[in-house]
Amino acid sequence: MGNHRDIALISVSIDLGAGRRGVDMGPSALRIAGISREIEAVGHRVTELGTLTAGGLETSEAGESELRFLDEVAHVAEGTRTLVGQGLDRGCTPLVLGGDHSLSIGSVAAVADHYRPQGASIGLIWVDAHADMNRPHTTPSGNIHGMSLAVLLGHGEPRLTLGRASVSPENASVLGARSLDAGEKRLIRELGLRVFTMSEIDERGVAPCMDEALERANAGTRGYHLSFDLDALDPRIAPGVGTPVRGGLTYREGHLVCEKASRSGRLLSLELVELNPVLDDRNQTAELGVGLVASALGATIL
């Protein structure tokens, strides 16, 4: 990623897109774990762009059961979109701290919006145990964080897609998936989205899979956005996540993904989501998350 970037740090405190409370406290835990200090240690400058806070569960209207808290999720996505757009306009690399994965509906859309007038598209690498490819009629839970990627590819609730895709399926990949619903599998096949499952990563190794994801993300685009859901990691090393699933990426695999993202020189923006300090053990997942961000921004072993 080259040296000395300006990093626009944005906190999005939301857990309404998820089924379990607590991920709204993720940004605070990452700050306690020293995220600004780590980024500066790599040689970048940090600009605080602000914090978005969703309404509380108690005060927000749950709404329809297949789109829980749609109003508030849409409102936060719009606010995220504005802040990320401001960061890009100032020539910064946006780094969004989450919060549940519904915030990506705003962050990725902002990056796409920024480059669209230049006639350029963007790629997307979605590191996640889940594909987040549900739609209102396929969701088993109604939790919008399980729909974000479908929305970004232009499918799902019109109030979230705003009538267009932010990314084309051939420039997007999911890395680390190990829990997919039937409706998601159908849409993945239909769109030709590339999903690197954990069994493929076991078989081939994370390096060739990430290389392929980078190739897709950079094919004819200006660069790509990295969306890192901490539940992609194995819960033994990252217990503090919104929806843990056994059998995830190891510590080193997670870092290799981020190191390769940095070395590609094409990373436009990134986010770290689904950190749940309530379920964490002595803030270890937050500390791991800070290390991953540092790797993605150019920290190296040697």
Side-chain angles (χ1 to χ4, degrees), residues 241-283:
V241 296
T243 40
V245 186
R246 287 167 65 174
L249 298 171
T250 65
Y251 177 90
R252 272 307 312 153
E253 285 173 332
H255 272 280
L256 185 59
V257 165
C258 292
E259 287 160 12
K260 280 183 167 290
S262 169
R263 291 202 296 265
S264 73
R266 307 263 299 171
L267 183 60
L268 302 171
S269 48
L270 71 158
E271 66 209 1
L272 195 67
V273 302
E274 298 281 350
L275 170 62
N276 191 337
V278 175
L279 303 173
D280 207 2
D281 180 15
R282 298 185 302 279
N283 220 25

Side-chain angles (χ1 to χ4, degrees), residues 128-157:
D128 200 327
H130 310 87
D132 299 341
M133 286 288 283
N134 270 305
R135 289 160 291 172
H137 68 281
T138 66
T139 174
S141 66
N143 296 326
I144 294 177
H145 73 165
M147 307 180 195
S148 343
L149 185 49
V151 165
L152 292 168
L153 295 172
H155 296 264
E157 169 57 34

Side-chain angles (χ1 to χ4, degrees), residues 202-268:
D202 290 340
E203 186 107 10
R204 294 176 60 201
V206 79
C209 294
M210 181 59 178
D211 287 342
E212 203 178 308
L214 283 164
E215 214 170 289
R216 287 175 70 84
N218 290 319
T221 66
R222 178 60 57 88
Y224 66 94
H225 175 91
L226 176 66
S227 187
F228 202 117
D229 184 326
L230 285 161
D231 73 19
L233 302 165
D234 195 88
R236 285 173 303 185
I237 57 161
V241 296
T243 40
V245 186
R246 287 167 65 174
L249 298 171
T250 65
Y251 177 90
R252 272 307 312 153
E253 285 173 332
H255 272 280
L256 185 59
V257 165
C258 292
E259 287 160 12
K260 280 183 167 290
S262 169
R263 291 202 296 265
S264 73
R266 307 263 299 171
L267 183 60
L268 302 171

Side-chain angles (χ1 to χ4, degrees), residues 130-205:
H130 310 87
D132 299 341
M133 286 288 283
N134 270 305
R135 289 160 291 172
H137 68 281
T138 66
T139 174
S141 66
N143 296 326
I144 294 177
H145 73 165
M147 307 180 195
S148 343
L149 185 49
V151 165
L152 292 168
L153 295 172
H155 296 264
E157 169 57 34
R159 280 188 54 193
L160 298 173
T161 61
L162 304 179
R164 63 174 174 223
S166 295
V167 184
S168 129
E170 54 265 25
N171 296 131
S173 306
V174 178
L175 193 74
R178 54 196 187 280
S179 174
L180 301 174
D181 298 319
E184 292 183 294
K185 291 178 187 176
R186 280 198 301 277
L187 186 58
I188 287 165
R189 281 195 289 268
E190 198 181 301
L191 298 180
L193 174 68
R194 185 70 167 91
V195 177
F196 298 92
T197 62
M198 277 312 300
S199 41
E200 183 175 352
I201 290 170
D202 290 340
E203 186 107 10
R204 294 176 60 201

Side-chain angles (χ1 to χ4, degrees), residues 15-66:
D15 65 1
L16 298 177
R20 183 187 253 165
R21 304 303 310 275
V23 294
D24 58 325
M25 294 184 267
S28 305
L30 289 163
R31 288 170 188 284
I32 290 164
I35 193 147
S36 300
R37 194 178 58 242
E38 275 304 310
I39 295 168
E40 283 162 355
V42 182
H44 306 300
R45 197 166 61 193
V46 175
T47 305
E48 289 282 355
L49 270 203
T51 297
L52 284 165
T53 306
L57 188 72
E58 300 71 23
T59 54
S60 302
E61 207 47 57
E64 300 170 57
S65 59
E66 70 275 16

